[in-house]
Amino acid sequence: MTRTIVESKTKTAIIGFDQPFCVIGERINPTGRKILNEELERGDFSRVEADALAQVAAGANILDINSGAVFSNKMAEDPRYADNNFVEPTLMRELVQRVQAITDCPLCIDSSVPGALENGLAAAEGRPLLNSVTGEEERLELVLPLVKKYNVPVVAISNDDTGISEDPDVRFAVAKKIVERAADFGIPAHDIVVDPLVMPIGAMGTAGLQVFTLVRRLREELGVNTTCGASNISFGLPNRHGINNAFLPMAMTAGMTSAIMNPVALPVGPTRIAEKRAEVAAAGLILPEDMDDETFCILFGLGSTKPKPGKEMEAIRAANFLTNNDEGGGAWIAFNRQPPKAGQEGRGRDARTGGRRRRA
């Protein structure tokens, strides 16, 4: 069985055909996150640290660290900040060090800048996953030597100098090319995790069927593990979680072994809570004055005021159980066990101290 080993200093994550699905947390990424980007520009890493801990608590096996920030304010002071080759290497090192200081979760070093990749690899303890290499000749010549030098696994994205093809046979051919070129550097197939590129189902009705077929071919013909940006499938559509929840188990049964995704259901903010409270009051419902926001959110189906595992994590854990990658269902049971209410810690069933009573 193909197994890709990713390690921190003290913990191992295994991506493999016979392993539970591997979740690579995507939240530490300033792309499209204006507030995070601004904080990083100010040297504030508190949100990065909070995101790291929340993703691990939600079940992430690996944390992806992306350094693709744009420091607009600093550009005005120093034109070098307009160049990602200047910004990202330093930022990547700092991100890796900050995350490693608070969690032992294995890491995925994610950048399009070779200098950032190398700085991340140099700063990472253990054996991180590198994200990524493509079939483009220039990229192959830049990234594969780093993979060999640091003896790490790498994500291989199925596009090349011609761009992203809508033809799944072309994407398979690109993946095969990367695997073969990696072998020339002495990099084994089990250290290649192929991203076959998931297309939005809203733009291409066959996108789901394409990726399922591709994943089967990659597993059977190349013997490689696979990953994807899980939310790509539902881009631009309503109820994206519903689509993602169906897609992930289907991809798993086709042979996909990991995904880069958000494992956290983001907390409900005070504005949404205030709006809902106003709706409830307008409807004439009278609530207890001492009802806290968390109880209110649960009662009215808003979610939670705290970061929680997302619905996608529920679908993944159920699929692990159904495919016998959670033997006996221990992980599923633990995932769904309700935490004790405040003041009832250490109590047994029916909130009795000491657990189950014996019959006389």
Side-chain angles (χ1 to χ4, degrees), residues 1-212:
M1 287 290 183
T2 298
R3 292 184 174 183
T4 304
I5 307 298
V6 184
E7 296 175 316
S8 67
K9 189 176 182 179
T10 59
K11 184 176 286 186
T12 299
I14 304 175
I15 305 173
F17 301 160
D18 61 342
Q19 298 293 308
F21 193 74
C22 184
V23 174
I24 304 171
E26 69 179 7
R27 291 285 294 165
I28 304 175
N29 184 346
T31 305
R33 297 185 66 189
K34 183 179 179 181
I35 295 175
L36 175 59
N37 197 95
E38 292 173 350
E39 289 175 347
L40 293 177
E41 187 168 12
R42 297 195 305 267
D44 179 357
F45 292 87
S46 57
R47 192 178 302 269
V48 168
E49 293 166 351
D51 281 343
L53 294 175
Q55 289 182 105
V56 172
N61 308 108
I62 298 171
L63 293 177
D64 186 88
I65 298 182
N66 184 293
S67 57
V70 178
F71 291 167
S72 302
N73 293 327
K74 288 188 175 182
M75 283 181 202
E77 304 167 7
D78 185 340
R80 292 180 298 173
Y81 281 95
D83 183 1
N84 275 17
N85 291 288
F86 177 76
V87 174
E88 290 200 40
T90 301
L91 179 60
M92 178 64 83
R93 183 190 302 110
E94 183 74 11
L95 287 168
V96 169
Q97 292 170 345
R98 293 275 183 160
V99 173
Q100 283 182 158
I102 60 169
T103 177
D104 61 353
C105 186
L107 303 181
C108 176
I109 310 301
D110 183 359
S111 177
S112 60
V113 175
L117 293 178
E118 181 140 32
N119 272 14
L121 289 170
E125 299 171 339
R127 190 174 196 253
L129 178 63
L130 196 65
N131 188 8
S132 60
V133 69
T134 67
E136 297 166 285
E137 286 300 323
E138 182 180 3
R139 192 75 179 170
L140 289 165
E141 294 299 323
L142 286 170
V143 176
L144 291 181
L146 286 177
V147 175
K148 180 63 177 178
K149 176 182 177 181
Y150 288 92
N151 184 29
V152 294
V154 64
V155 174
I157 301 177
S158 300
N159 69 281
D160 59 12
D161 302 88
T162 64
I164 301 174
S165 174
E166 293 187 359
D167 186 341
D169 290 334
V170 172
R171 300 208 298 279
F172 177 84
V174 173
K176 184 177 180 181
K177 170 188 172 181
I178 297 172
V179 171
E180 290 172 347
R181 290 291 294 276
D184 292 339
F185 283 85
I187 301 165
H190 64 250
D191 276 340
I192 309 293
V193 182
V194 173
D195 181 346
L197 292 172
V198 175
M199 305 294 187
I201 192 73
M204 180 188 297
T206 59
L209 294 174
Q210 278 194 8
V211 77
F212 303 148

Side-chain angles (χ1 to χ4, degrees), residues 261-309:
M261 55 178 283
N262 177 16
V264 181
L266 300 182
V268 184
T271 300
R272 179 70 184 107
I273 294 172
E275 290 173 348
K276 189 65 177 179
R277 282 188 181 274
E279 291 175 16
V280 170
L285 297 177
I286 300 174
L287 302 176
E289 292 183 1
D290 61 349
M291 178 179 286
D292 58 52
D293 284 347
E294 179 67 9
T295 302
F296 177 83
C297 286
I298 293 171
L299 181 62
F300 288 94
L302 296 182
S304 173
T305 60
K306 306 168 187 176
K308 300 282 186 181

Side-chain angles (χ1 to χ4, degrees), residues 249 252-253 315-327 329 332:
M252 291 166 66
T253 55
I316 287 168
R317 291 178 186 272
N320 281 335
F321 192 8
L322 291 167
T323 56
N324 201 34
N325 282 322
D326 174 15
E327 190 172 355
W332 174 255

